[in-house]
């Protein structure tokens, strides 16, 4: 499969572009409004798409992983990013606020149960949401697994990934005085929330560039400069969540609660050479989740746009569509 995938882009495996049939902003309380859209078949299988970051926002490409004849696709921008407001805001913005927002969206759209689809931080949020509301999650499709553990944060912000990309790691760390290198998340936090807009944008672009450069397996390390608004929201929200360990009560909280998903089927799609979220987390998750199937994709990194990852995700969603009756949807 890898040889043929090298000759195709991810778009070759996706369904054609579609436009939403419904777009709205939802008041979720706490001074926040959240952008929500629906596309596909209004009578189709409901699936909620949880984007990465935190702070990444959803994109039109995310609509294309689902057969529009079979699926009712719900996408939304999480608090503080994309078209949600206030922009780049971290007040009243925690994992548990997002879980409540997902439930409010489900109730507002009068959906009883749905499939949950998410990647990277979206995979984290998918698992936490399903563990909190297992009666509402009919199945999960997740990609690029991140379990919000200190080991994962140390890998990416403590020098692990930097051993493979020393030139980019040097660029990321040299903006910070050496005596603060022991905790780069805290060091960037200080600057991303300094109150000086120009400084915040400078450090936001550096934070985003470090991650973006390592996302794809064929990356040469060169990334364009992110737009200021996007970089600031993405970096502030991501740093805010990591600084607070996702508001989980202990380091292995997700793995320790996998019994709550014992009856829920899932597909885990993971790039073999994911530099941002190494495959060990996906493997450990699969071991703790008997109802899951792990698909390790060779010659693939972290990005949703990797051809092999896109192909596996579309196959997974096509299989779930064929199982609509057994899933109770």
């Amino acid at each position: 499969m890898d040889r043929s995938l090298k000759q195709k882009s991810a778009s070759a495996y996706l369904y054609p572009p579609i436009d939403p049939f419904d777009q709205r902003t939802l008041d979720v309380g706490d001074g926040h409004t959240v952008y929500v859209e629906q596309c596909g078949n209004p009578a189709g299988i409901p699936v909620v798409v949880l984007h990465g970051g935190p702070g990444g926002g959803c994109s039109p490409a995310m609509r294309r992983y689902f057969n529009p004849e079979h699926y009712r696709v719900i996408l939304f921008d999480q608090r503080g990013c994309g078209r949600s407001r206030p922009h780049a805001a971290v007040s009243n913005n925690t994992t548990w606020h997002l879980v409540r927002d997902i439930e409010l969206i489900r109730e507002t759209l009068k959906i009883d149960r749905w499939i949950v689809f998410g990647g990277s931080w979206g995979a984290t949020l998918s698992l936490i949401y399903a563990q909190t509301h297992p009666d509402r999650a009919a199945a999960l499709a997740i990609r690029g697994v991140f379990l919000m553990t200190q080991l994962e944060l140390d890998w990416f912000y403590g020098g692990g990934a930097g051993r493979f990309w020393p030139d980019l790691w040097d660029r990321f760390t040299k903006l910070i005085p050496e005596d603060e290198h022991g905790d780069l998340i805290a060091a960037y936090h200080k600057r991303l929330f300094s109150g000086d807009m120009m400084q915040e944008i400078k450090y936001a672009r550096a934070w985003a560039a470090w991650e973006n450069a390592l996302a794809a397996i064929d990356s040469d390390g060169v990334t364009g400069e992110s737009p200021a608004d996007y970089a600031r929201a993405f970096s502030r929200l991501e740093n805010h969540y990591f600084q607070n360990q996702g508001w989980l009560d202990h380091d292995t909280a997700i793995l320790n609660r996998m019994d709550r998903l014992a009856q829920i089927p899932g597909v885990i799609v993971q790039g073999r050479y994911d530099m941002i979220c190494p495959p060990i987390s996906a493997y450990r998750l699969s071991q703790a989740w008997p109802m899951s199937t792990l698909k390790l994709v060779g010659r693939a990194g972290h990005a949703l746009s990797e051809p092999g990852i896109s192909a596996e995700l579309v196959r997974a969603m096509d299989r779930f569509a064929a199982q609509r009756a057994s899933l109770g949807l």
Side-chain angles (χ1 to χ4, degrees):
M1 185 174 76
D2 287 336
R3 186 176 303 148
S4 63
L5 287 172
K6 285 181 68 178
Q7 299 168 5
K8 296 183 179 181
S9 68
S11 62
Y13 299 94
L14 305 182
Y15 285 96
I18 54 173
D19 293 322
F21 64 77
D22 173 47
Q23 294 174 287
R24 63 180 81 186
T25 55
L26 182 64
D27 186 343
V28 295
D30 308 310
H32 285 268
T33 58
V34 166
Y35 169 83
V36 182
E37 67 176 41
Q38 300 186 77
C39 56
N41 181 353
I45 302 166
V47 55
V48 61
V49 179
L50 306 183
H51 65 68
C58 58
S59 71
M62 295 177 184
R63 306 167 185 160
R64 300 179 57 192
Y65 287 80
F66 317 94
N67 186 326
E69 295 182 5
H70 295 157
Y71 278 103
R72 175 186 178 186
V73 186
I74 297 96
L75 299 94
F76 73 101
D77 292 330
Q78 295 161 28
R79 293 189 182 203
C81 68
R83 288 150 287 187
S84 296
R85 293 294 180 268
H87 192 67
V90 299
S91 173
N92 297 308
N93 194 338
T94 72
T95 304
W96 304 109
H97 286 100
L98 300 187
V99 169
R100 292 207 303 270
D101 293 350
I102 296 167
E103 272 296 273
L104 180 59
I105 292 167
R106 184 189 62 76
E107 293 167 358
T108 300
L109 299 180
K110 297 179 170 55
I111 293 169
D112 183 45
R113 297 169 72 241
W114 51 9
I115 295 173
V116 185
F117 178 102
S120 194
W121 158 253
T124 321
L125 186 57
S126 295
L127 291 164
I128 294 170
Y129 169 77
Q131 290 174 347
T132 307
H133 300 284
D135 55 328
R136 301 305 180 186
L140 275 70
I142 59 177
R143 181 267 315 168
V145 172
F146 174 59
L147 300 177
M148 190 58 81
T149 65
Q150 192 61 48
L151 188 67
E152 292 164 310
L153 294 174
D154 288 345
W155 162 262
F156 202 63
Y157 297 105
R163 293 176 180 266
F164 289 84
W165 293 86
D167 49 342
L168 301 187
W169 180 245
D170 183 62
R171 187 188 310 166
F172 180 65
T173 58
K174 73 180 182 182
L175 293 177
I176 302 296
E178 194 166 343
D179 62 357
E180 296 183 60
H181 284 194
D183 189 344
L184 287 166
I185 293 175
Y188 266 86
H189 184 85
K190 184 190 303 183
R191 292 155 178 87
L192 289 169
F193 294 90
S194 67
D196 179 333
M197 183 65 72
M198 295 306 295
Q199 184 184 65
E200 289 183 6
I201 291 170
K202 172 185 173 180
Y203 284 89
R205 281 176 163 155
W207 178 279
W210 165 239
E211 183 166 333
N212 291 341
L214 273 63
I217 193 170
D218 62 355
S219 171
D220 59 5
V222 177
T223 60
E225 193 168 64
S226 297
D229 282 352
Y230 171 84
R232 184 168 174 270
F234 175 83
S235 301
R236 279 166 56 95
L237 266 65
E238 192 169 80
N239 180 280
H240 168 67
Y241 273 71
F242 295 169
Q243 177 83 349
N244 290 281
Q245 288 78 45
W247 291 272
L248 300 182
D249 54 16
H250 54 282
D251 197 54
T252 56
I254 294 174
L255 288 178
N256 292 350
R257 294 171 181 151
M258 287 308 296
D259 60 303
R260 302 183 186 189
L261 305 190
Q263 304 304 315
I264 300 176
V267 174
I268 305 165
V269 179
Q270 179 72 37
R272 175 72 76 174
Y273 299 101
D274 189 331
M275 294 296 298
I276 297 173
C277 298
I280 185 64
S281 293
Y283 183 76
R284 288 174 176 162
L285 178 66
S286 71
Q287 295 297 103
W289 188 7
M291 286 286 283
S292 70
T293 301
L294 174 62
K295 299 287 186 179
L296 282 167
V297 182
R299 298 180 192 171
H302 182 72
L304 177 62
S305 59
E306 299 276 13
I309 289 174
S310 287
E312 288 292 353
L313 287 171
V314 170
R315 289 189 193 110
M317 298 314 299
D318 286 348
R319 284 193 294 269
F320 281 146
Q323 298 165 7
R324 180 173 189 171
S326 63
L327 291 174
L329 296 169

